[in-house]
Amino acid sequence: MLKAAVVVIAIFGGLAYYVWDYNTSPTGGKAKAEASASAEAEEAKTHDPQVGDCVKVADPQGKPLPTIVDCDSPEAEYKTGEMLPGTQLECDAKYDYGIQYSSSRGLDYKLCFTKV
């Protein structure tokens, strides 16, 4: 009976330590998950240009991915000029490039860019 009690206490103790470590340790599971989510959010911000941001565009002819860069950087290819709502609008002739975005949540828009 004593051996069984020791085994049960050891199992519950180990489980309790795991839960405590996961939730409180700065290098534990919860901290890693939060850091990963934060890093993903920061990365997503670099691909969401606003009007006035300079970008470089990866795969401009295929599935374009704009990345925000410093306007003084030699990497800067385009400057974001206008955000058009919906899918029917086209960029004016004063713009050199446009990227259409369609999301599953109904947020469709087009970004228009001028060459830097």
Side-chain angles (χ1 to χ4, degrees):
M1 185 77 142
L2 183 61
K3 287 181 184 179
V6 169
V7 169
V8 168
I9 289 172
I11 290 172
F12 279 112
L15 206 90
Y17 176 77
Y18 173 79
V19 169
W20 173 81
D21 184 57
Y22 182 88
N23 288 311
T24 61
S25 174
T27 59
K30 187 175 183 179
K32 286 180 184 176
E34 289 172 355
S36 176
S38 176
E40 288 174 8
E42 286 300 314
E43 175 66 20
K45 285 182 188 176
T46 65
H47 300 295
D48 186 24
Q50 302 301 311
V51 173
D53 288 340
C54 291
V55 298
K56 66 178 181 175
V57 179
D59 195 16
Q61 303 304 321
K63 190 167 187 170
L65 178 66
T67 303
I68 299 171
V69 296
D70 189 343
C71 288
D72 296 329
S73 167
E75 292 182 307
E77 299 173 321
Y78 300 99
K79 186 168 187 171
T80 310
E82 190 172 5
M83 181 184 291
L84 303 173
T87 57
Q88 290 80 17
L89 300 174
E90 294 295 324
C91 295
D92 291 338
K94 66 182 177 181
Y95 296 109
D96 300 308
Y97 185 66
I99 299 175
Q100 182 70 44
Y101 289 93
S102 296
S103 71
S104 59
R105 295 180 287 183
L107 300 173
D108 298 336
Y109 60 96
K110 180 174 272 191
L111 288 176
C112 301
F113 301 95
T114 56
K115 282 244 186 229
V116 175

